[in-house]
Amino acid sequence: MIPATFDYVRAGSVDEAVDALKQHGDEAKLLAGGHSLLPLMKLRFAAPEVLIDLGRVEQLRGVCDLGDGRLAIGSMTRHIDVMDDPLVREHCGVLADVTAKVGDPQVRHRGTIGGALAHGDAASDLPAVLAALEGTLVAQGPNGTREIAASDFFVDYLTTSLEDDELVTEVRVPKIVGPWGWHYEKFTRVAQAWAIVGVLAMVKRSNGSIEEARVGLTNMATVPVRASGVEQALAGHSPDAIADAAANAADGTNPSSDLSASAEYREHLARVLTRRALEAAAR
Amino acid sequence: MTAVDTPPSANVGTTKLRKEDAHLVTGRTQWTDNLQLTGMLHVAVVRSPMAHARVTKVDVSGALEQPGVVAAFSGADLADHWAGGLPCAWPVTEDMQSPTHLPIATDEVRHVGDVVAVVVANSRYGAADATEFVDVEYEPLPAVVDMEAALADGSPLADTQLDTNRSFTWQKIDGDVDAAFDSAPHVVERRFINQRLIPTAIEPRAVVCAPPREHREYTMWSATQVPHILRLMLALTCGVPEHELRVIAPDVGGGFGSKLNVYAEEAICLVLAKRLGKPIKWTESRSEGYQATIHGRDQIQDVSLAFNEDHTIRGMKVELHADMGAYLQLVTPGIPILGAFMYNSIYKMDALSFTCHGVLTNKTPTDAYRGAGRPEATYAIERLMDEAANELGVEPFELRERNWIKHEEFPYTTIAGIEYDSGNYEAATAKAKELFDYDGLRAEQQRRRDDGDPVQLGIGISTFTEMCGLAPSRVLGSLSYGAGGWEHASVRMLPSGKVEVITGTSPHGQGHVTSWSQIAADALGIPFEDIEVRHGDTAVAHKGMDTYGSRSLVVGGYAVQVACDKVVAKAKRVAAHLLEAAEDDVEFDAGTFQVKGSPDANTTMQDVALAIFAAHDYPEDMEPSLDSDATVDPENFSYPHGTHLCATEVDTETGAVTIRSYVAVDDVGTVINPQIVEGQVHGGLAQGIAQALFEEAVYDAEGQLKTGSLLDYYVPGAPDLPHFTTDRTETPATTNPLGVKGVGEAGTIASTPAVINAVVDALRPMGVNDVLMPASPQNVWNAIQAASSASTTAASAADGGAA
């Protein structure tokens, strides 16, 4: 539990962070809340030579209304501040609700939205939310900024499409308009553990039937997965169709087997939890 | 004297806030790792990444070139410093096979985490970094992981120096077992698995050892439960004379048995302090501790019960395979043996056979973990009683009551040959059933079964007892244990009327300072606040057997009481002398010596203490001192018991288990401090429930520990545990003057079977008769799947038979 030696750089601004990344390349890691990176370093699974601390980059904190139907959340905004933010609560309650289930109070008071997403761990809760919301991430590098769709951002286990010299500056989510309901089923071994499987269901109701459904799956592949077959099977149908549709929730997934769950059991859980999440969201 | 607000005689039995807590909860405390000594050096340990290998090369020269590194040693470099291997104090059989356990391996490593070299540097981080530059070459050997395969012919050996993996086979047979089983109308037979657990005390182990300075002695601070045993054993192991070694257990943050040991790192720090002449510190990290600190449980239990037609038990057979791990640590082999006295539990029977195979494997050694042998036994018998009730078609409480020892039958000598002094299983059970709303929950269970509710309700019962308060030295001797079980206390009466109590017990969270103050306050008639309790330093508490096995109160508290009684007896003679009365005419009550019939002729304990200090006027035939010592050796163990009831909701779709309610009615005899007892029960329940639902140390086929950190080893937290309803019955022990019984392990011992019985009970209509521990969602789901495919197979077989 003692990390290898590293150099420490405190970035005062995004530009300073980008400069440091450019200088150190893949020998550097960005330090946000540290709740994923530091345990890996203590176990010496990760041994970056340079840590670039974003903790003092104030411009990366906070939430604003972009005016185009979307909210922008600074990447260094802590989970607790996302949960409690009035704009998030009013316009994107699902993000506030799922964020409230991330880790435990200590994690939520240190961990950040950008750090959690950039870590690229499909067992964490926020990637599936961003996938279901069809949100985007703004990345900044030496050549300026670019906006990356959630579906393009997560590439593989702990791997994103960020370049070595880029950092996430913003997370953009649509304002939720209309009669949407949502529910996140997080299935864990102990309260503070990662999800064995998580299912976020969002349902837009119209005249008693489901106009649109979105299902994001946590920890069912190396990247967050949308249960698109389930979504399509429900569009335009009555909530009575949920049970049959949810039976296909594991289609197209590729879950791992580990000490907590076999792949087969994860697929089973995905089906059960998708049904439950949809039923709760459609209520 | 004026009356005081709280009569000093009213301390025992009342909740006193713990004297220890203010400094513990504010962190103003002295953990071993907080110690900073001038010139102190830090040790980092190079550990084997392989479960079993020949060590063909250890080259520390690369580490010596690293910044801040002072020294580095291989096993060969220090081999001459050990007088012998690390000790096992419990050779359970004469021919027990025990691998030589050098603190640093020289030619063969036998588990992941075995020590191969040490690096000493002027900072902890520098030492840790430099370990990567120690060049070790390993020649892999086959790893022995599975206990039963280890005993098969042709198995690879866990230690190539031995010719077997069987450390011992230990047997105890009482009564005519063959007769009990041969013509039995009913026999219920099961195999249970008590999985391997990792103790996880909140404070990791830590050691500081300072070489002699002004005095000739070495001083070791260690996060240990056993400073006295450690001193003796290190003296024998490291060739430092016992009188030149002082061991201090400062504030210690939990142990649960994992700090009841003599560890390689303790010997290493002593030898390095000797060799380098500098204070040496080592603190384990959590993941290091998971490999290097003992594990618990890990038994395969084949058990069967034979019944008469009237459902009384005829006899029991127990055959255990117990995983010792790679080495026999301090009491490793004795742990499963303790079960020999506990499988019969509270039940009467005419025959009991107990056979235990201790098996060597290439895993971290097992040893005492909260309950130590008794949780395993209790789990098996209480699970088996539920299985028997199901097979015999009787209510599980009815079967238990049919067989348990009745209150009026105490004292009762069990089939295992020990005498239970006291107990009232009827009273504890009646209270538990009422608090639990047993009948109401049974009715709800039936409704849910009838409705086909996907969430089924299960009710689990555990009517347990245990033997603790490890004391009777002669009994321990008859079991080949290497030491006695007495305990020592001293009482020092200070001239100002204050009191120091010195105890040989070594608390690490139990609150002895508070409880011992309560005992002494009542015995001496001195205010609770005027008493200090000193412990855990061999230079202060020169004599002791330390803390484990729920022994401290029933042996150490007893010693405090006896020492105080001796003080009172001496003080009474002095008081009679000062009051010019005959000793028989002086009465002592609540701190005051009073001449019968003369209200004005009295004096206090404090005044007597001052008078004897001045020593101007005291009886001629005594020494001028009230101070007293006591060493007590109780004639029997202590037998707490109780009835625990657990209601679980089992989600049959996902396998998720939720504890809905938990009632624990414990009988621990007379209670000194109700809040401390309740705290012990809460913590015990949490650890027992943790075995039932959450925790398991998993090794793969190569002997790699897959649950190597808290990321994978699921220790439950408060959100994972239910509200506990705790209550007590009080049946005083007859084997000590306080009437107390041990409480440290009761909750752990009782709760594991209560929870698993509840999970199985919920799923019984689905054909489930067992669930592997931990009853994780995956394991519960597997059990449901297996039962449903078995019933499908049975159905199709029946069809096939008809066709």
Side-chain angles (χ1 to χ4, degrees), chain B residues 55-70:
Chain B
V55 179
T56 53
K57 176 184 165 192
V58 182
D59 179 0
V60 300
S61 59
L64 289 171
E65 293 166 8
Q66 298 306 305
V69 171
V70 173

Side-chain angles (χ1 to χ4, degrees), chain B residues 104-129:
Chain B
I104 306 177
T106 49
D107 49 8
E108 186 173 341
V109 285
R110 298 179 182 86
H111 69 93
V112 170
D114 214 353
V115 181
V116 289
V118 290
V119 177
V120 187
N122 54 23
S123 77
R124 187 180 182 201
Y125 277 56
D129 286 345

Side-chain angles (χ1 to χ4, degrees), chain B residues 643-677:
Chain B
T643 297
H644 287 213
L645 291 170
C646 176
T648 58
E649 293 188 339
V650 182
D651 183 336
T652 60
E653 287 190 295
T654 63
V657 175
T658 308
I659 297 180
R660 178 161 124 186
S661 60
Y662 195 102
V663 169
V665 175
D666 284 282
D667 194 322
V668 295
T670 305
V671 164
I672 306 297
N673 185 321
Q675 193 177 69
I676 287 178
V677 166

Side-chain angles (χ1 to χ4, degrees), chain A residues 17 30 41 86 161 245 270:
Chain A
L30 294 165
M41 290 173 61
S161 58

Side-chain angles (χ1 to χ4, degrees), chain B residues 253-577:
Chain B
F256 313 114
S258 72
K259 294 172 183 167
L260 156 55
N261 230 304
V262 178
Y263 281 108
E265 297 81 3
E266 289 164 328
I268 288 168
C269 285
L270 177 55
V271 160
L272 290 177
K274 192 174 174 183
R275 172 115 175 199
L276 300 173
K278 296 274 193 181
I280 303 289
K281 179 191 276 190
W282 172 80
T283 300
E284 77 180 0
S285 72
R286 183 64 66 185
S287 42
E288 185 180 23
Y290 270 23
Q291 299 176 356
T293 297
I294 60 101
H295 293 177
R297 316 281 192 264
D298 207 349
Q299 295 180 10
I300 300 169
Q301 307 169 293
D302 290 298
V303 287
S304 51
L305 277 173
F307 287 89
N308 287 313
E309 285 292 4
D310 67 355
H311 300 158
T312 53
I313 299 170
R314 295 163 66 98
M316 185 175 193
K317 288 185 199 169
V318 178
E319 181 159 11
L320 299 184
H321 286 79
D323 194 333
M324 304 287 98
Y327 298 106
L328 304 183
Q329 288 272 2
L330 190 64
V331 291
T332 300
I335 300 308
I337 301 305
L338 285 172
F341 303 91
M342 279 287 106
Y343 276 86
N344 53 299
S345 187
I346 65 171
Y347 307 113
K348 295 179 282 189
M349 58 186 73
D350 300 325
L352 172 66
S353 80
F354 174 93
T355 305
C356 176
H357 309 289
V359 186
L360 298 166
T361 61
N362 295 116
K363 292 184 262 183
T364 293
T366 57
D367 205 314
Y369 175 45
R370 202 170 190 174
R374 291 99 81 208
E376 297 93 321
T378 304
Y379 178 74
I381 181 64
E382 286 303 292
R383 282 285 298 115
L384 198 55
M385 288 301 277
D386 259 31
E387 293 304 301
N390 181 55
E391 287 193 17
L392 299 172
V394 294
E395 223 278 342
F397 260 126
E398 191 186 320
L399 186 66
R400 286 172 167 85
E401 191 160 7
R402 176 75 49 90
N403 285 287
W404 75 38
I405 303 157
K406 308 274 183 290
H407 179 53
E408 59 271 19
E409 292 175 309
F410 287 93
Y412 183 89
T413 300
T414 72
I415 184 64
I418 52 177
E419 184 183 274
Y420 294 179
D421 65 292
S422 60
N424 191 338
Y425 310 141
E426 295 88 345
T429 298
K431 198 171 211 174
K433 284 174 87 167
E434 186 187 337
L435 287 167
F436 189 67
D437 185 19
Y438 186 78
D439 295 334
L441 284 169
R442 281 282 183 219
E444 181 186 335
Q445 178 181 48
Q446 193 57 51
R447 278 201 304 280
R448 290 204 194 193
R449 288 180 177 179
D450 294 344
D451 296 347
D453 194 323
V455 179
Q456 288 287 311
L457 184 67
I459 295 170
I461 300 166
S462 175
T463 50
F464 80 104
T465 190
E466 66 130 336
M467 58 187 276
C468 63
L470 293 188
S473 298
R474 290 181 191 87
V475 177
L476 294 175
S478 73
L479 292 171
S480 312
Y481 181 61
W486 48 262
E487 195 46 84
H488 179 262
S490 300
V491 176
R492 295 180 189 153
M493 300 301 295
L494 304 180
S496 61
K498 313 297 184 190
V499 177
E500 289 176 327
V501 172
I502 297 101
T503 178
T505 65
S506 194
H508 40 283
Q510 291 86 347
H512 295 179
V513 172
T514 302
S515 300
W516 285 203
S517 292
Q518 290 178 259
I519 293 168
D522 281 7
L524 300 170
I526 297 282
F528 172 78
E529 296 75 15
D530 288 353
I531 297 166
E532 184 56 271
V533 178
R534 303 195 184 281
H535 59 79
D537 179 343
T538 58
V540 175
H542 74 283
K543 199 173 164 68
M545 275 295 187
D546 306 319
T547 287
Y548 43 84
S550 304
R551 70 186 302 276
S552 296
L553 177 59
V554 294
V555 195
Y558 177 5
V560 171
Q561 176 73 43
V562 173
C564 288
D565 290 345
K566 291 182 181 178
V567 170
V568 171
K570 289 183 193 174
K572 196 171 176 183
R573 292 177 61 194
V574 178
H577 176 82

Side-chain angles (χ1 to χ4, degrees), chain A residues 32 55 75 82 91 113 120 141 144-146 182 202 222 250 281:
Chain A
S75 59
V82 173
H91 298 296
I113 185 170
T145 63
R146 64 184 179 122
W182 58 81
M202 298 178 62
T222 57

Side-chain angles (χ1 to χ4, degrees), chain A residues 1-5 43-44 187 189-194 259-262 264-265 268-269 272-273 275-276, chain B residues 124-125 128-129 132 285-287 651 653-654 656 693-694 698 706-707 711 714 719-720 774 776-778 781:
Chain A
M1 298 297 275
I2 294 179
T5 302
L43 293 167
R44 299 205 173 195
F187 196 86
R189 281 290 301 277
V190 290
Q192 83 276 17
W194 278 273
L259 293 174
S260 290
S262 66
E264 181 197 8
Y265 175 58
H268 168 77
L269 280 179
V272 173
L273 300 176
R275 190 194 75 223
R276 291 181 181 178
Chain B
R124 187 180 182 201
Y125 277 56
D129 286 345
E132 297 193 355
S285 72
R286 183 64 66 185
S287 42
D651 183 336
E653 287 190 295
T654 63
L693 297 182
F694 301 108
V698 180
K706 305 303 285 181
T707 49
L711 288 173
Y714 293 107
D720 304 301
S776 64
Q778 170 89 66
W781 188 73

